[in-house]
């Protein structure tokens, strides 16, 4: 199985979103949508401008009035 994370910082009027897709077959991958993540901070913008995934941990970057934020999942 495999997981792909796609940041869309311009989605939802620049609030941003992150799309998570997965596949269960390495030989004949058919990707399915697992979830759509949105920022929990109402002041965040460009959520998904940076994404990183390692094993079961996902980190998503966003811009905030204080400068920036990292969200972990």
């Amino acid at each position: 199985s495999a997981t792909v994370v796609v940041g869309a910082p311009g989605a939802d009027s620049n609030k941003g979103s992150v799309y998570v897709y997965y596949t269960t077959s390495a030989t004949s991958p058919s990707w399915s949508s697992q979830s759509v993540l949105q920022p929990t901070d109402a002041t965040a913008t460009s959520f998904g401008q940076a994404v990183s995934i390692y094993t079961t941990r996902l980190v998503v970057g966003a811009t905030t009035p204080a400068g920036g934020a990292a969200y972990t999942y």
Side-chain angles (χ1 to χ4, degrees):
S1 69
T3 302
V4 172
V5 179
V6 179
D12 193 20
S13 299
N14 290 328
K15 287 299 246 181
S17 297
V18 171
Y19 301 89
V20 181
Y21 298 92
Y22 72 97
T23 184
T24 56
S25 172
T27 58
S28 178
S30 176
W31 294 92
S32 300
S33 177
Q34 183 174 5
S35 61
V36 177
L37 305 173
Q38 309 237 295
T40 54
D41 181 353
T43 64
T45 59
S46 299
F47 181 79
Q49 67 184 2
V51 294
S52 180
I53 189 166
Y54 180 73
T55 63
T56 61
R57 183 68 61 190
L58 168 64
V59 180
V60 178
T63 303
T64 65
Y71 299 83
T72 59
Y73 297 90

